[in-house]
Amino acid sequence: MKLLDIRNYKKVIPIIQSADINTMFALSVLEGKVEGKVFIDEEASPASFFIQHPYRMALLYGETNREDFYVQLVSHMLNVQNVRNEFEWLQVYPASLYSKIDAILGSNLIKKNPDEPYKKSFSAEEDTKVLEYQRINFSFNKEKFLAFKKKLTNENHKIVTTSETIFNQLDGSVVPKYFWNNYSDFMKNGIGFTLILENDFPASTAFAAFTIGDRLEIGIETNERNQGSGFGSIVCAELIDYCIANGYKPVWSCNSGNIGSRKLAHKLGFEEATRIPYYRLPK
């Protein structure tokens, strides 16, 4: 696995765009909207690309006949060199790579029930192995969304555009600062809306995790003490309204084990389109 010079990222964009799965996080790296890394199998005529987003997401695209590449890939997947201290999530393309992953990992791969709720703690065995879940890509049904919006109760919630203060203040697992280099980049290439409670407390924020062309992928974070309040659906509806008004196609994807995200997606008018293997790499 050889590190690709950032000056060559643009050459990879049309290759990744040809995939029929959601690769927006990888394209955000290639377009320079966030600082990531790209590895290739060889410099002369690369056939495989391993693209890392700083939000611990990675894409393996393409097959190679270089077995040394797969040896290095397995080392990375199993964290043999202790290069990461957090889990990393990997999706691969094309589908023919699924059997390749099965073969090169062997007993180091555990296939999870895709509808099992994801948990952050694992058994000693699962902690050191690759776990296979599923990544769900949704399609947006505008009519269903508009029908949902009619049911929203108007309680005059205070919703503001996500400010720099909020951008830097937000804590959680899905917040804008993990998806953008800085607030300036966020406002130049994205957008966010935050529901504010008394004392200017940010209860829930829906934001553009990625914008690629006319597509905007939604990220959502609700403060733990406000979860179950319905605030997430309110700010997401605000962001979807923004998408519709500004010519963006709203995009939603999530881990199959994220039951809350799946339920919220369906509520907002998204419909399950495809499922692909999604690999949790150990730390």
Side-chain angles (χ1 to χ4, degrees):
M1 295 172 67
K2 299 174 174 59
L3 189 64
L4 182 66
D5 191 305
I6 192 172
R7 291 172 295 184
N8 293 321
Y9 280 12
K10 288 185 178 180
K11 298 178 182 178
V12 186
I13 291 176
I15 299 172
I16 304 303
Q17 285 176 328
S18 68
D20 57 4
I21 61 173
N22 180 358
T23 59
M24 291 178 67
F25 74 91
L27 289 169
S28 72
V29 171
L30 296 172
E31 291 187 357
K33 292 177 178 175
V34 70
E35 295 178 3
K37 293 181 179 179
V38 180
F39 298 88
I40 54 178
D41 56 337
E42 62 176 0
E43 294 178 0
S45 182
S48 287
F49 304 86
F50 189 89
I51 303 171
Q52 287 182 306
H53 187 282
Y55 187 61
R56 304 188 306 277
M57 299 174 68
L59 171 69
L60 171 63
Y61 180 102
E63 297 180 83
T64 179
N65 57 10
R66 298 182 61 92
E67 287 306 314
D68 61 324
F69 175 83
Y70 292 113
V71 170
Q72 294 172 59
L73 177 65
V74 169
S75 177
H76 174 79
M77 293 181 75
L78 296 176
N79 202 23
V80 173
Q81 303 297 325
N82 293 315
V83 295
R84 61 176 175 271
N85 54 18
E86 296 288 346
F87 297 132
E88 185 175 44
W89 289 91
L90 172 68
Q91 59 186 58
V92 305
Y93 185 90
S96 53
L97 272 171
Y98 303 153
S99 59
K100 183 71 175 180
I101 295 296
D102 288 352
I104 63 178
L105 287 178
S107 61
N108 286 308
L109 175 66
I110 298 176
K111 294 180 182 286
K112 302 287 289 184
N113 179 339
D115 292 316
E116 176 185 332
Y118 180 75
K119 58 184 186 299
K120 295 183 179 180
S121 60
F122 300 90
S123 67
E125 180 187 25
E126 290 178 328
D127 242 353
T128 59
K129 296 191 176 183
V130 175
L131 306 183
E132 181 183 320
Y133 290 86
Q134 289 182 347
R135 181 79 170 166
I136 304 178
N137 294 328
F138 294 84
S139 60
F140 180 62
N141 186 314
K142 182 178 178 180
E143 287 69 31
K144 285 189 175 181
F145 167 70
L146 294 176
F148 163 74
K149 271 212 68 180
K150 290 181 179 179
K151 300 176 184 178
L152 276 179
T153 56
N154 183 11
E155 297 182 16
N156 296 317
H157 294 293
K158 182 181 178 182
I159 299 176
V160 300
T161 301
T162 305
S163 66
E164 185 170 9
T165 299
I166 294 173
F167 179 92
N168 293 320
Q169 174 185 1
L170 288 176
D171 286 321
S173 58
V174 186
V175 294
K177 62 186 174 186
Y178 296 148
F179 294 84
W180 299 91
N181 291 327
N182 50 56
Y183 181 74
S184 177
D185 282 350
F186 173 59
M187 289 309 296
K188 179 181 178 181
N189 298 296
I191 190 70
F193 295 98
T194 301
L195 189 150
I196 300 292
L197 298 180
E198 57 186 23
N199 299 321
D200 293 329
F201 178 77
S204 187
T205 296
F207 64 97
F210 319 108
T211 55
I212 302 295
D214 65 348
R215 294 175 295 158
L216 185 154
E217 184 160 351
I218 297 172
I220 172 68
E221 181 73 26
T222 300
N223 184 274
E224 186 173 358
R225 73 188 194 201
N226 297 115
Q227 291 176 3
S229 62
F231 292 164
S233 59
I234 293 171
V235 289
C236 280
E238 188 78 16
L239 181 54
I240 294 172
D241 278 340
Y242 170 88
C243 289
I244 294 172
N246 290 275
Y248 283 105
K249 298 175 183 176
V251 175
W252 196 289
S253 296
C254 69
N255 183 344
S256 61
N258 190 339
I259 307 303
S261 181
R262 288 167 58 180
K263 288 181 177 179
L264 181 54
H266 287 297
K267 183 186 293 186
L268 292 164
F270 291 92
E271 300 171 335
E272 186 174 321
T274 59
R275 290 189 178 209
I276 60 172
Y278 201 36
Y279 304 96
R280 191 230 64 181
L281 311 185
K283 57 185 176 180

